[in-house]
Every structure is written in structure tokens, then in C-alpha cells.
Amino acid sequence: MSSKITLTITQGTLSGKQYTFDSRSTCIIGRNHDCNLQLANEIDMTISRYHCLLDINPPDIRVRDLGSLNGTFVNNKKIGQRKRHQTAQEGLKLNFPEFDLQDGDEIKLGDILFKIGIEVEESELINTPNPVAEKAKPNFLNLIQILLDSAAQGDTNLQIISCYKLVKSLGKGALGEVFLAENNKLRKSVAIKLMYPSVPGKEEGIDQFLEEAKNTKSLQHPHIVELLDYGFAEETFFFVMEYCEGGNVWDLMQRSGWRLPVNIAVEIIVQVLDGLIYAHQVEIPNIQLVNGKLGTGKGLIHRDLNPYNILITYVNDKIVAKIGDYGLAKAFDLAGLSGQTLTGNQMGTPAFIPRQQVLDFQHSLPEVDVWATAACLYNMLTGYFPRDFTGDPWLAVLQSDPVPIRQRNKTIPPKLAEVIDLALVEKPKITFQTAEQFKQALIKSVS
């Protein structure tokens, strides 16, 4: 039995109704029609349109108020509420802390009362780490040296990295660190990324993530960073990847005063879209089928495109853009290995995520990647994010519309601006459903 969380309504019009979660998920509760749990109709003002957010990673669950009018209560204690004179738009500027929930806790919204039920898998009770120790980040420099030394000494599980020597660190992220290494025989540089689970002992999650890595390794395209090898040792995932000497787009923006020329920015995004066109259609070896089993499927979605993971290399002095970390960051999170990171805002980049992705955390479609590329282009041309973020970032994604791009930078050609603004429309759906559609509109706008 895997761990699961059950929400049971014990008071109110929906009394007796239950909702069960057995995997990494988020749940937005409110009266708006697109909430995961719509608890009231549009005229019931006791519950806000987007009232609160549950961040779920069984057996852990936490709650966060989203600036609701009447507040969210945990065991009769109020954890968040905007003031009476504040509008819902002003509520966007508020940012309430999240609260960890325990088995038997009660959440109240309006007159509706939820009771939290948590069933813990026996193996997780055995493997549960000390909460204080869990927060301590490992020393990745020591870890990679241990892995490389073990590989050099003949560890068969690490044979795939036995030919590499460490050069230097390329940078740290929320989930790990990337190192430059060199092949001793071929004198070829590679990037080795280490990712350390924040929730050790989740064997099912580890297997799930390694299957996802197999999917990423199957991607072979000039505008996708090649995953050469991967493995799991010393409680750490390691990935040997193609090295891109030009850094990432964020670095390029920084060197360019935070705005890139139109021709360079558009060319980078067109190349990214070429990578997405391929990845969204390619045959993938390990897709979860309707019957729940793994089988061959079609298309892989990235779900975390942003300027940090669009990498740059050069061929004959010409910029070549490559999509990095294809699907790995989100797969790590969905496998339950990153802890509860959505509400903590340690994982993901809300500036480059469409509202559809927040509303349906587990089941993203290709258009979320298309929207993210448009958000990246907006950022590259203006130095700003499409939305204004002044309070809770996830509520801003749900309720705020992107600012028209020429309000940020009036020098952007009108036809190009029109296409970018159109690409960032999310309601009732994302305008460009495929990468090919956005690519063609983009090329036409600058030709």
C-alpha cells in the first residue's frame, strides 16, 4: 500500500464527500469553475473564487490561504484572510505562509469543514528521516568526488562515469549542482548534474524518475541538450549531459543589459520551438498508458521551460540554442522526490508557467511549453516577466493577465508584439496549441 491522503467533508452542503490523493499533486479549492475542488457556486460569497491551495506529497500535506475574503481556518485557527476593505486584486499582493497538516486536522472554508486523513506506507515510517536533517543540503562537491573516485576504483554501478575527471562547478540550483568534467580518453567536456532527493526512501519515486530519465535520453535533436548517461548511487541521481559552453539565456541577458536584440531573441526561440516540435511528436519508450501500465507513446512535455534551461553553444560563431533538463525537473517533483516545493516556491518558475499548469499540476499538455516559450521571448526582449508579481506568485498566475509587451518596451515591432501578446493569452485556452503554430506566426511577424 502506498501512502495516501483523504479529504472528507464533514460539514456543509457536500457533507460525506471524499477526495483521495495518492501521488504528488496540488489542489486549489474555491468557487471558481476551474478549481480542482469547486465547493460553491458563483453567488456564494463565503468562499472566494480561489480560496486556498493544498500542496500534497503523500504522506505530507500543507495548506496556504490565497488572500480569501473570509479566511481559511485550521483547527479553528485562522491562517490567512485579506482585510474587508481589500479587493480580490489587492489580495494578490498578500502572501500568507503555508501550514503543515497532520492526520485528523480540520480545515474550514465558509461553512464547509474538511477532515484530513493520512495513511502512511509502513516502509515510509521506517525510512522517514529526521526533519532537521532533511533540510540540510548535501555537499555536492564531496558527492561528485566520491562518485568519480568509486568509479575509478572499479565500482560496476558507476562504470559509465569511470572515464571522467572533475574540472569545476558550473552552478547550483534548488535541486542540485552541475559540474564540468572531462573525458580522460577523448578530452571531451561534459556536464554532470547531481540531484539529491529531499524525500529519501521513496523507492517507487526513484524508479519512476529513472524511467522518465530514460525518456529524456531517447531525445536526439540539435536543439535539445543530449543526455548521454544517467544513474543513481549514494542516494544521488547523476546525469552526464552534453556541455554547452555559452551558458544559458539568463546569462546572455545579463551580459546584454537584460534585453536581447529582436533578431537574436527570435532566432533563439525559433530554435527552441524546433526542439519542441520534435519532442512533442517523437516516439517515447516509457509513457503511462490509459490502463496504468508503461508502454510506447508519443510526445514528451518539458513543463519547466525558462531562460535558465535554454542553453547556448556556438557553431561557426553562430548561436545555437538547446533545451536543457528536458522534463527532468518536473518529473523529479511529480515523483515526489523534491518534497513540497510548489507552495514553498523553491521549485519551478511561476513567471514562466501558464495558469493551466497550476490548475492541472499532473497532466500538462504541449501548449504549456508553447506558452512558456512566449514568456521566455517576452522576458528576453523586455527584461520583465509577463505578469507583475507583487505577492503570492501562484495566485498571480491564476488571476493576473500578462501585461501587453509594448507597455514594457515600446521599441518592439508592432506585428511581433501582437503575436507575443496573442501567444500569452490563456483564457479560455492558450492561443497556440502547438509549437509549429507559434513558430510560423513568429516567423511571419518578423519577415
Side-chain angles (χ1 to χ4, degrees), residues 422-434:
L422 194 59
L424 292 172
V425 170
E426 305 162 283
K427 304 172 188 174
K429 65 178 184 178
I430 293 170
T431 304
F432 297 113
Q433 295 283 293
T434 69

Side-chain angles (χ1 to χ4, degrees), residues 86-352:
Q86 291 177 311
T87 64
Q89 201 63 26
E90 289 172 323
L92 282 172
K93 299 178 181 179
L94 305 175
N95 198 346
F96 295 109
E98 62 268 13
F99 284 79
D100 290 318
L101 299 173
Q102 308 298 324
D103 183 45
D105 281 350
E106 292 183 324
I107 306 174
K108 189 173 184 182
L109 298 78
D111 67 345
I112 295 178
L113 190 68
F114 282 97
K115 187 165 186 176
I116 306 297
I118 301 176
E119 294 183 38
V120 183
E121 186 178 10
E122 187 175 336
S123 63
E124 289 192 31
L125 285 171
I126 296 169
N127 292 318
T128 299
N130 182 304
V132 176
E134 185 178 327
K135 293 181 181 179
K137 287 190 176 182
N139 184 318
F140 288 105
L141 181 60
N142 288 347
L143 268 175
I144 193 170
Q145 201 60 67
I146 290 170
L147 293 175
L148 292 175
D149 288 347
S150 298
Q153 290 163 15
D155 187 326
T156 54
N157 293 323
L158 295 168
Q159 187 176 2
I160 57 178
I161 58 171
S162 61
C163 58
Y164 296 109
K165 68 175 182 180
L166 181 63
V167 178
K168 65 177 182 179
S169 171
L170 293 173
K172 295 180 181 180
L175 301 174
E177 189 165 354
V178 182
F179 296 89
L180 179 64
E182 188 179 71
N183 187 305
N184 292 322
K185 298 175 183 177
L186 303 177
R187 300 299 177 192
K188 182 179 179 181
S189 295
V190 297
I192 299 181
K193 180 169 188 171
L194 302 188
M195 295 175 76
Y196 187 85
S198 295
V199 187
K202 278 206 167 189
E203 290 186 17
E204 185 179 338
I206 290 168
D207 293 340
Q208 179 184 335
F209 184 51
L210 288 172
E211 289 294 338
E212 196 68 27
K214 189 183 295 183
N215 289 337
T216 300
K217 189 179 178 183
S218 73
L219 299 178
Q220 300 289 321
H221 190 273
H223 295 300
I224 296 176
V225 173
E226 185 178 4
L227 176 58
L228 303 169
D229 273 308
Y230 63 92
F232 182 75
E234 299 288 335
E235 297 185 6
T236 306
F237 295 97
F238 60 90
F239 302 90
V240 182
M241 301 177 291
E242 173 187 6
Y243 172 57
C244 296
E245 75 280 5
N248 59 42
V249 163
W250 190 262
D251 298 331
L252 184 63
M253 289 172 59
Q254 192 172 26
R255 294 193 299 268
S256 305
W258 296 110
R259 284 186 183 181
L260 298 183
V262 166
N263 63 324
I264 293 176
V266 170
E267 178 58 29
I268 287 172
I269 291 300
V270 166
Q271 292 180 30
V272 169
L273 289 167
D274 279 337
L276 291 179
I277 291 167
Y278 160 80
H280 289 167
Q281 296 294 322
V282 72
E283 189 174 278
I284 299 296
N286 294 288
I287 296 289
Q288 190 168 36
L289 304 176
V290 177
N291 60 11
K293 296 181 179 179
L294 288 177
T296 301
K298 188 178 180 182
L300 192 64
I301 301 161
H302 191 288
R303 293 183 292 203
D304 193 32
L305 266 174
N306 59 68
Y308 291 101
N309 54 37
I310 299 175
L311 302 180
I312 299 295
T313 187
Y314 296 91
V315 176
N316 298 325
D317 295 326
K318 182 182 178 184
I319 285 180
V320 176
K322 292 176 179 276
I323 303 170
D325 269 0
Y326 202 104
L328 291 177
K330 281 296 178 188
F332 192 76
D333 197 20
L334 287 167
L337 299 172
S338 60
Q340 292 164 288
T341 52
L342 183 67
T343 55
N345 196 20
Q346 300 163 1
M347 162 69 184
T349 40
F352 301 96

